[in-house]
Amino acid sequence: MRVLLLGSGGFLGRYVAEHLLADPAVQLTALGRGDDADVRFDLSNGSPGALTRFLNAVHPGVVINCAGAIRGGARELTRHNTVAVATVCESLRRSGCGARLVQIGCSAEYGPSQPGSSTAEDAVPRPGGPYGVSKLAATELVLGSGLDAVVLRVFSPVGPGTPAGSPLGRLAEAMRRAMQSGESELKLSGLGVQRDFVDVRDVARAVHAASLSAAQGVVNIGSGRAVRLREAASVLARVAGFGGALHEIDAPPGRVPAAAGHIPAPAHPHGTAHAHATVHGHAPAHAQAAAEHGGVPGGAGNATTYPYPDGCGSWQQADVRTARDRLGWRSRIPLEESLADIWMEAACRI
């Protein structure tokens, strides 16, 4: 199977490429802006004609689009996330290759959810910011293109390579600095938000499964379990061996901040667990998410709040039954393992 991967240099794209290269039946060509791409091409500025000629030359059976932007103004986000996808769709329509398109979407397309609910693919999207709007517009272009296509709405990817600007990336870095300097406490803020974390390696498996499937429309990719950022911070402290205290400076009334040395591990869901780079191939919906309505660490002496720009409010949890039924996929890697891998990378900088 010949596969053309767009955006192979980003957080998700790197793991998708690695997973596909492990399949001897896949012949992979990477197209992107970076030097590591097999062919350099900027989707946001390139013409459909040029991409069509390339498609006709390579003749892929599957095109996977992991490219896009996570930060910037509305104009920049539209150019990288919407206009670029319009170029891909138009090029595929013009081409004679008949390739299947796997588009990477994100949970920011849904916008805020009711706490306690699971968001299914038929939920009415109400994105709360320009990023989600630009990604939703891209999804609508794909769904209306008439192509053999599927959109994977990835919730909050984590794991090795998690961008330093994401909530968990910043938390790991703050913890590393505290341990390196011998500080006995870490002050945190904004830990009340809950997100559906899914390991990036599980996302790569989902992309591969979607490439081989006949599924069309939108498919959620997540763990199916919302986890409070406070709980993730506690587990990260435990796997890091941080012996100090975690002080949540904006804890709700009556709640006692937890000490890192006395934090229980969370229960794992069944089978569980998209930095300030403007252009990604695909960064997390939570690294774009870089710290939603809340934020994470300050240092030991202060706490800084970083607003999440994903516009998803305090809660997101995926209904993942469609992925199970139509892709034969479910998440496998528990969040604790993802956090341990994030910490291993941070610890290497000590």
Side-chain angles (χ1 to χ4, degrees):
M1 177 175 66
R2 291 182 180 176
V3 177
L4 176 63
L5 176 60
L6 312 176
S8 61
F11 177 47
L12 294 186
R14 288 195 303 272
Y15 283 95
V16 170
E18 182 179 300
H19 187 84
L20 292 172
L21 286 170
D23 183 350
V26 171
Q27 299 175 35
L28 182 65
T29 301
L31 183 149
R33 293 158 44 99
D35 294 334
D36 55 345
D38 297 318
V39 178
R40 296 193 64 176
F41 187 83
D42 186 348
L43 285 174
S44 65
N45 294 317
S47 70
L51 184 55
T52 299
R53 290 190 291 273
F54 182 74
L55 288 169
N56 287 334
V58 176
H59 211 77
V62 178
V63 174
I64 300 170
N65 184 22
C66 293
I70 58 175
R71 295 283 183 93
R75 177 177 297 180
E76 186 175 18
L77 290 168
T78 300
R79 182 163 61 90
H80 286 287
N81 294 339
T82 310
V83 175
V85 172
T87 297
V88 173
C89 291
E90 180 61 24
S91 300
L92 284 168
R93 279 194 297 263
R94 294 183 187 182
S95 170
C97 68
R100 173 171 172 77
L101 174 61
V102 179
Q103 166 71 14
I104 305 303
C106 71
S107 60
E109 297 174 44
Y110 288 120
S113 301
Q114 183 68 28
S117 67
S118 293
T119 303
E121 290 84 355
D122 60 358
V124 177
R126 292 187 177 88
Y131 175 78
V133 170
S134 69
K135 292 295 290 182
L136 177 60
T139 291
E140 294 300 333
L141 285 171
V142 170
L143 298 181
S145 67
L147 298 168
D148 174 13
V150 63
V151 178
L152 303 183
R153 277 191 179 143
V154 179
F155 275 63
S156 295
V158 294
T162 292
S166 72
L168 296 179
R170 281 204 309 277
L171 178 60
E173 177 62 16
M175 202 166 289
R176 178 195 69 80
R177 290 178 179 176
M179 293 176 72
Q180 190 170 19
S181 61
E183 294 169 354
S184 60
E185 65 177 15
L186 191 58
K187 293 184 178 180
L188 310 170
S189 67
L191 299 185
V193 296
Q194 297 180 70
R195 287 295 180 266
D196 187 328
F197 297 108
V198 57
D199 192 278
V200 64
R201 293 158 291 192
D202 281 334
V203 175
R205 285 195 306 104
V207 172
H208 193 187
S211 302
L212 298 172
S213 79
Q216 296 192 338
V218 174
V219 180
N220 288 340
I221 302 299
S223 70
R225 174 179 180 253
V227 175
R228 199 177 299 275
L229 198 55
R230 181 184 303 120
E231 182 180 353
S234 299
V235 177
L236 187 60
R238 184 168 52 80
V239 299
F242 179 62
L246 299 181
H247 290 296
E248 188 177 352
I249 62 169
D250 54 357
R255 181 180 180 88
V256 179
H262 304 281
I263 299 163
H268 294 149
H270 293 297
T272 264
H274 170 267
H276 191 324
T278 302
V279 178
H280 64 94
H282 207 287
H286 101 193
Q288 85 218 338
E292 281 153 5
H293 284 327
V296 219
N302 58 29
T304 304
T305 298
Y306 296 85
Y308 265 103
D310 73 345
C312 293
S314 63
W315 169 278
Q316 268 203 331
Q317 178 173 282
D319 182 328
V320 293
R321 289 175 294 180
T322 301
R324 180 195 63 201
D325 296 342
R326 297 171 64 187
L327 303 183
W329 175 93
R330 66 178 64 207
S331 62
R332 295 175 181 169
I333 299 175
L335 180 57
E336 183 169 355
E337 182 176 336
S338 303
L339 293 172
D341 289 335
I342 292 173
W343 173 249
M344 285 298 293
E345 291 187 337
C348 287
R349 296 192 291 272
I350 292 182

